[in-house]
Amino acid sequence: MIRHKGFGRLLLALLLYLVVSPFIPPESVAALGVHAWLSLVLFFAASAVQKGHNHRSIALSILGITLILYWLNIFGVFSFGAISSICLFVLFYALLIYAFVGQLMRAEEVDKGLIAAALCLYLIIGLFWGAVYNLAHELDNGAFAGNLIDQAGAIKLHVFNYFSMVTLTTLGYGDITPQTPGAGALCQMEAIVGQFFTAVLVGWLVGMYRRPTKLSTQD
């Protein structure tokens, strides 16, 4: 049984983060509030993971280390915090995707909780690829180019989240572009995942919704 309140709260928190964060100047005091909100969003995400197979405990443990390095990097305390925290972000999002997919596959009927979980999964996939792009940029500053990247300052996570969502939905505005074969391959893979999500998961949800009606008709 998918918990409606847990995923509903997570969905609202994710949407608010994605909509509000681009409007906050990266070097302002208000940016600290955005970072704090992201920390809260990630806590909601870890809490939405079911307790089975210790997935929630693992998610919370990874999240704790991730947020410590993330905040140390924000305040410039730990020089190696950027790459380390981004790697943990990637690992954390990957675990969330694995856990959420498992919860969706075990669902027996379509309800509000299942729909909210599917929408959360879609957004988490976008955040996962945003972290991957951010990591690729930290490892090679020439991997991506665009005015938004140049204006982002030291922390470019919000910019790559935006680029990820644009790529996931295959909009392709062209304001940020991959500059290396590896970066291009990452963008290509995310676009494919976005189309698979729409074609496969949405079709599966529709099939689950119609299934009880067919059974009752046969009876």
Side-chain angles (χ1 to χ4, degrees), residues 50-83:
Q50 289 182 346
K51 295 182 178 179
H53 300 93
N54 294 321
H55 288 163
R56 183 185 295 181
S57 299
I58 296 173
L60 288 172
S61 299
I62 296 175
L63 176 61
I65 301 173
T66 301
L67 292 181
I68 290 173
L69 293 177
Y70 180 65
W71 281 97
L72 287 176
N73 179 55
I74 290 174
F75 290 110
V77 176
F78 187 34
S79 59
F80 297 99
I83 293 179

Side-chain angles (χ1 to χ4, degrees), residues 20-33:
V20 173
S21 60
F23 292 96
I24 306 300
E27 305 300 332
S28 67
V29 176
L32 292 177

Side-chain angles (χ1 to χ4, degrees), residues 6 22 55 58 72 76 80-81 86 97-98 104 119-120 129-130 139 143 156 169-170 173 178 181:
H55 288 163
I58 296 173
L72 287 176
F80 297 99
I86 295 170
I97 292 171
Y98 175 79
L104 289 174
L119 294 175
C120 287
W129 283 102
L139 295 174
K156 299 177 173 60
T169 56
T170 65
Y173 288 126

Side-chain angles (χ1 to χ4, degrees), residues 3-199:
R3 294 183 298 124
H4 166 57
K5 290 184 179 180
F7 279 105
R9 179 179 59 187
L10 174 59
L11 179 60
L12 178 60
L14 283 168
L15 291 174
L16 286 176
Y17 167 72
L18 290 172
V19 171
V20 173
S21 60
F23 292 96
I24 306 300
E27 305 300 332
S28 67
V29 176
L32 292 177
V34 175
H35 296 308
W37 184 252
L38 174 60
S39 302
L40 184 61
V41 169
L42 298 182
F43 175 76
F44 286 158
S47 300
V49 175
Q50 289 182 346
K51 295 182 178 179
H53 300 93
N54 294 321
H55 288 163
R56 183 185 295 181
S57 299
I58 296 173
L60 288 172
S61 299
I62 296 175
L63 176 61
I65 301 173
T66 301
L67 292 181
I68 290 173
L69 293 177
Y70 180 65
W71 281 97
L72 287 176
N73 179 55
I74 290 174
F75 290 110
V77 176
F78 187 34
S79 59
F80 297 99
I83 293 179
S84 300
S85 62
I86 295 170
C87 287
L88 286 173
F89 268 113
V90 172
L91 179 61
F92 176 71
Y93 288 137
L95 177 61
L96 288 182
I97 292 171
Y98 175 79
F100 288 175
V101 168
Q103 290 174 227
L104 289 174
M105 296 302 294
R106 289 190 295 270
E108 298 179 354
E109 61 180 358
V110 177
D111 55 14
K112 293 180 180 179
L114 183 62
I115 294 174
L119 294 175
C120 287
L121 173 60
Y122 187 75
L123 296 179
I124 292 296
I125 290 173
L127 293 178
F128 167 77
W129 283 102
V132 170
Y133 296 143
N134 197 9
L135 178 60
H137 177 76
E138 289 292 334
L139 295 174
D140 179 5
N141 290 336
F144 297 92
N147 291 332
L148 289 178
I149 296 177
D150 298 335
Q151 299 170 6
I155 299 178
K156 299 177 173 60
L157 181 60
H158 305 318
V159 171
F160 283 113
N161 284 340
Y162 153 77
F163 175 64
S164 175
M165 294 300 174
V166 170
T167 305
L168 184 65
T169 56
T170 65
L171 286 175
Y173 288 126
D175 48 356
I176 300 175
T177 56
Q179 300 296 306
T180 64
L186 292 175
C187 296
Q188 177 179 260
M189 284 303 301
E190 184 180 18
I192 293 173
V193 169
Q195 293 303 300
F196 280 179
F197 185 96
T198 303

